[in-house]
C-alpha cells in the first residue's frame, strides 16, 4: 500500500483531482553523466492543481521534480515489453543507443511535448487510479484552456503563495522560506525551458 490519498479541488468551475502516494519513477543514472543503467526510484508523488510533483520521500519539503501538466500531454498504461521511449533520456547520445524494455507490470507512461516519464505502482488498481487522476487533470486543462494560460502568466508572488499552500499538507509549517523560493525558482526555470 502506498498511503495514497485522493480528493478533488474545484477552481472556478474546473475540477482538479488531487492524489498523493508512493510510486517508483524510472531514472537513468545522473543527468550529465554517461548512462550506466536504468533504475526505479521510490518517490512520494503529489498530483495537485494540474501539476505532478515528486519528492525523495513523504517528509521531504523540496521536490526532486515537477511536471506542470498541459492540455496536449498524454497519460497511458505502459505495457510489459514496450520499448522505453528515447524521449525519457536527458542526453541526446543516450537517446540513440538505449533499447531497454518495460519489465514492470503496473506502469504508466506520461508523454510530454519533449519528454516521457515512467512510473509504476504495486497494483493494477493503484496505477489505474493514478492514470485516471492524471488524465482527469489533463482533460480539465483541455476544457478550461484559460487555466493553463493563467498558470503560465502567474507572477512569482502568486506562485509562491500557491506553493506555500500546496506544501502545508505535507508539513505543519514551512520552517524556511528559502526552500519555497528555491522551488519557485525551479518552476520559473521550467517555464522558460532552462532546466
Amino acid at each position: 500500500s502506498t498511503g495514497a490519498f485522493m480528493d478533488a479541488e474545484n477552481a472556478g468551475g474546473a475540477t482538479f483531482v488531487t492524489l498523493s502516494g508512493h510510486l517508483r519513477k524510472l531514472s537513468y543514472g545522473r543527468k550529465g553523466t554517461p548512462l550506466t543503467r536504468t533504475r526505479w526510484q521510490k518517490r512520494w508523488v503529489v498530483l495537485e492543481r494540474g501539476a505532478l510533483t515528486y519528492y525523495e520521500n513523504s517528509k521531504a519539503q523540496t521536490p526532486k521534480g515537477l511536471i506542470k501538466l498541459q492540455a496536449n500531454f498524454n497519460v497511458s498504461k505502459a505495457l510489459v515489453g514496450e520499448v522505453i521511449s528515447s524521449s525519457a533520456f536527458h542526453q541526446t547520445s543516450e537517446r540513440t543507443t538505449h533499447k531497454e524494455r518495460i519489465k514492470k507490470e503496473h506502469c504508466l507512461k506520461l508523454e510530454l511535448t519533449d519528454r516521457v516519464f515512467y512510473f509504476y505502482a504495486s497494483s493494477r488498481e493503484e496505477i489505474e487510479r493514478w492514470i485516471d487522476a492524471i488524465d482527469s487533470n489533463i482533460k480539465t486543462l483541455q476544457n478550461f484552456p484559460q487555466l493553463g494560460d493563467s498558470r503560465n502568466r502567474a507572477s512569482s508572488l502568486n506562485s509562491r503563495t500557491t506553493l506555500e499552500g500546496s506544501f502545508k499538507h505535507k508539513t505543519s509549517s514551512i520552517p524556511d522560506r528559502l526552500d519555497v523560493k528555491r522551488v519557485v525558482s525551479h518552476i520559473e526555470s521550467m517555464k522558460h525551458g532552462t532546466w
Side-chain angles (χ1 to χ4, degrees):
S1 172
T2 65
F5 172 76
M6 190 151 121
D7 198 3
E9 175 186 350
N10 196 308
T15 301
F16 285 105
V17 174
T18 60
L19 182 62
S20 60
H22 284 106
L23 292 175
R24 295 201 179 256
K25 177 186 166 292
L26 186 61
S27 299
Y28 306 91
R30 293 194 182 125
K31 188 174 181 178
T33 64
L35 176 67
T36 53
R37 64 183 175 89
T38 59
R39 58 190 169 156
W40 293 92
Q41 295 180 311
K42 189 175 184 178
R43 295 288 182 238
W44 180 255
V45 183
V46 177
L47 174 64
E48 186 174 52
R49 297 185 186 131
L52 191 70
T53 310
Y54 51 96
Y55 301 83
E56 181 125 9
N57 56 54
S58 62
K59 297 187 186 326
Q61 293 181 5
T62 305
K64 299 287 283 177
L66 181 140
I67 305 166
K68 190 171 93 173
L69 300 177
Q70 295 180 16
N72 62 337
F73 290 179
N74 184 50
V75 63
S76 61
K77 183 170 184 173
L79 303 174
V80 173
E82 179 179 326
V83 175
I84 295 170
S85 171
S86 62
S87 298
F89 297 97
H90 293 292
Q91 297 177 353
T92 307
S93 61
E94 293 169 356
R95 292 180 181 187
T96 58
T97 60
H98 193 270
K99 301 286 187 232
E100 191 164 338
R101 296 180 181 274
I102 295 292
K103 297 174 187 157
K104 303 294 182 184
E105 191 171 334
H106 312 296
C107 188
L108 72 79
K109 171 173 54 174
L110 179 58
E111 297 173 276
L112 285 56
T113 306
D114 60 350
R115 181 113 188 254
V116 177
F117 287 86
Y118 294 90
F119 294 90
Y120 89 86
S122 58
S123 71
R124 179 182 54 81
E125 295 80 14
E126 188 177 353
I127 205 64
E128 286 175 359
R129 184 173 40 235
W130 278 98
I131 291 169
D132 290 346
I134 294 168
D135 189 54
S136 173
N137 277 259
I138 291 170
K139 285 180 178 161
T140 296
L141 292 168
Q142 290 169 347
N143 293 329
F144 295 86
Q146 68 276 16
L147 293 175
D149 294 342
S150 66
R151 288 186 314 158
N152 290 335
R153 289 191 304 262
S155 69
S156 294
L157 178 61
N158 289 339
S159 297
R160 186 174 300 118
T161 302
T162 301
L163 283 170
E164 287 175 355
S166 299
F167 291 106
K168 283 184 183 171
H169 77 280
K170 299 178 72 49
T171 60
S172 57
S173 65
I174 298 176
D176 183 0
R177 288 185 63 88
L178 181 60
D179 286 340
V180 173
K181 288 179 183 175
R182 198 174 310 143
V183 172
V184 170
S185 172
H186 178 73
I187 292 169
E188 291 299 320
S189 67
M190 288 176 65
K191 284 182 189 176
H192 301 298
T194 59
W195 59 289

